[in-house]
Amino acid sequence: MASKKKKAIIIVLVVALVLSGIVGYRIYSNMQAGKERAGRVSQGQAVAVEVAAVTKRDVTPVLTFSSSLEPVWSADISGKVDGRIDRLTVDEGDAVSAGMTIAVLDMGELSAQVIQAEGSLFQARANMEQAELDFRRMEPLAKQGAVSAQTLDSARTKRDLAAGQVRAAEGALALYDSKLTGANITAPRGGVVSKRYLQSGYYAKAGSPIVTVADISTLLAKATVGEAEIAQLQSGAAVKVKVDALGSQEFTGTITRLSPVATMPSRTFTAEISVPNQQNILKAGMFAKVEVLAQNHLQAIVVPETALVMREDIKTVYVLAADNKVQQRALKLGYVGGGWAEVLDGVKEGERIVIAGQNKLRDGSTVRLGAPGEAGK
């Protein structure tokens, strides 16, 4: 038994040694291959590239903001009094005009209260008229001493009390009249019904919305703008508005308001852009992109966007030196867009940079100028 165990241990050790040798050989082979490739590069194997000179051109930065289209005006329409909806004249999507009746409440009980208030007013006026006659009769009698001054004062008090009762009755009637008028619910402004909350037969509490009316003849695109960009926007300036849902169709808008105070702690501002919608093509809630042309940068140094290479989150370009070697330089960029990148620091006008084939390069690589389509080979 002991000899069998020793043989098994020896076999395991041999297998382990063989596997270790195989793995070590593969690692060594890979390292050698990498050294050989690096050696070929260091020996000056040239990579075909395309180059172009750094130039100057006018740059017009385009500021792009995301927003959602909103109605220029929207309000919940509700009744002034409680009541059951006797008739609802509109539905979602219907157009309404200012003063148009939207709903009518059942006000049978309130109509009876108005009649009762009218009767109370007639009675109060009759009482005041009688009190006024009694007071006028008492005045000459009091002067003659036929009645006491106390009796005259009592008649005057009754007359004034009756006048107060008339005023109270007039107020009660006006209140019931106002409530009765409130049973006819109208639109305060033209627009479309964007939401219906109740329907005929439902009991509507005062102040509870029945429908929402929105004016979508003009839509607002509200964009969030950073503090570095707000100074480049001006009220009244025309902008482009693109709507993805309509195939990136372009519309013309106008900056109508810029918030004077930043939102903290983000330090951002809100810009409102009015977009006419007379044809009702746009819908509230659509996603839109707002493009604003900023101030021109005249004769700025630029490089093609295709020349840019990322290195540790820094944008760089390969500059061609006199010995056909390239130097990788970090750039300080301004506006990037439209196929061009504005360079604030890093290269000078006239220097030649690699615009194709740079994916095969590193700092110090040897290059050769290749024919179009040969770059990178």
Side-chain angles (χ1 to χ4, degrees), residues 152-299:
L152 180 63
D153 291 339
S154 178
R156 182 185 294 108
T157 301
K158 287 182 179 180
R159 183 197 62 179
D160 295 342
L161 180 60
Q165 290 174 343
V166 169
R167 294 290 295 169
E170 288 174 344
L173 179 59
L175 175 62
Y176 287 126
D177 276 336
S178 176
K179 288 184 177 181
L180 190 60
T181 304
N184 190 43
I185 302 169
T186 59
R189 183 168 170 172
V192 296
V193 178
S194 59
K195 181 71 175 178
R196 187 197 68 190
Y197 299 95
L198 304 176
Q199 52 188 329
S200 297
Y202 278 49
Y203 191 83
K205 298 287 289 182
S208 298
I210 298 174
V211 297
T212 298
V213 174
D215 182 358
I216 59 172
S217 60
T218 298
L219 295 178
L220 291 181
K222 294 184 178 180
T224 300
V225 182
E227 61 178 338
E229 301 165 324
I230 189 66
Q232 302 184 56
L233 305 184
Q234 292 183 350
S235 294
V239 301
K240 291 182 179 179
V241 180
K242 294 183 178 180
V243 180
D244 292 341
L246 300 177
S248 296
Q249 185 174 349
E250 287 189 5
F251 299 85
T252 300
T254 304
I255 299 176
T256 51
R257 192 182 74 87
L258 297 172
S259 56
V261 180
T263 301
M264 303 299 288
S266 61
R267 298 184 185 277
T268 57
F269 299 81
T270 299
E272 288 188 1
I273 295 91
S274 297
V275 187
N277 188 34
Q278 301 300 329
Q279 304 300 322
N280 288 331
I281 298 175
L282 298 171
K283 308 297 180 185
M286 282 183 169
F287 177 79
K289 291 181 180 178
V290 179
E291 294 184 354
V292 183
L293 297 180
Q295 185 176 3
N296 286 341
H297 298 175
L298 301 178
Q299 292 300 293

